[in-house]
Amino acid sequence: MLFILINLTLYFISFGVTQFYNNKTYKYHEFNLMIKNFESSLLSTLIFEKDYAKDMNPGTAETVLSNIESNISLLKKILDHAEEKKADLKTLSELLGTYKKKFMILLSNNNQISALKHQWDELFEDFYQRSDDIAQKVDNIIGMAYLDGDYADPMYGSFAISNKNMIHALSEISLGVNRDLLLYDDEKGFLKIRREALQLLDKERKNITALAKNTKNELFTGLSAYSEKHLEKIESLTDEIHQLWKNNTQISSELDAVRKGMIVGEKGLSSWIQSSLDDIK
């Protein structure tokens, strides 16, 4: 009888231990699956963020923000199942929150840059059209004088050169902004182009203003007034775009640091759960 009781006791102890380890193994496998889902979601977020950095597509930005929310939700579920890793999970959660804030700042800056570029494009197009119309009128005046066997006032030639130089300078600024600064992140090249172009614009603005004062010609006075009104706007627009680009450079650096921190945190969780599963085995 005693022998039977001892066997039954050992059986129940063995059964209890087996159940305990089975439950613990199930818990860790379930937790491991959650971490794998989080890892996959986080990787997807980072990939979409990199894609957004290349094309600045609003749809891609929405996907990044949606994925971040999914990551936060997954992390909350993980926290409910891993009280012993609460400190690490809290750190990871804070990093995700910081990542979201930084990305939203980047998104806001890019939206502002797009709006400023739109203003710049409109201003450049308007300036170009006005300049082209004036250039055609000057060419007609010079051509008609030639047909009449006469010579047009040399001031028309000087005006035409100044007019073309202004358009050339504006084109250089446009290239500097879109190619050097925003595409290649070449701040030094952008600043050099911008400085030289603004110097040329200022020089030709003064020339056209002088011609307008000396002749009172409507073509000269019209372009002079327009230049005085809009050239300052050109400088301020490129200043604002440049400042936002600098802000984005800083934000991108901070995003990179947060990104690395999240990857380290996720890898730490994966290593911990794998080690725990190995210990059970």
Side-chain angles (χ1 to χ4, degrees), residues 137-193:
K137 290 177 180 177
V138 170
D139 287 344
N140 286 337
I141 290 170
I142 294 173
M144 290 301 296
Y146 177 79
L147 290 175
D148 291 339
D150 198 0
Y151 293 98
D153 191 318
M155 287 189 177
Y156 284 108
S158 299
F159 179 78
I161 291 172
S162 292
N163 186 35
K164 289 177 181 178
N165 283 344
M166 291 182 79
I167 292 300
H168 172 71
L170 289 172
S171 298
E172 285 294 296
I173 291 175
S174 187
L175 275 175
V177 169
N178 292 292
R179 180 194 62 196
D180 296 81
L181 188 65
L182 300 180
L183 182 60
Y184 296 147
D185 291 328
D186 181 7
E187 183 181 25
K188 185 177 179 180
F190 159 74
L191 289 174
K192 180 177 182 295
I193 289 172

Side-chain angles (χ1 to χ4, degrees), residues 236-253:
S236 67
L237 277 173
T238 54
D239 268 340
E240 290 180 72
I241 292 172
H242 180 216
Q243 184 58 53
L244 285 167
W245 175 87
K246 288 199 293 185
N247 293 347
N248 273 358
T249 300
Q250 178 63 34
I251 290 294
S252 295
S253 177

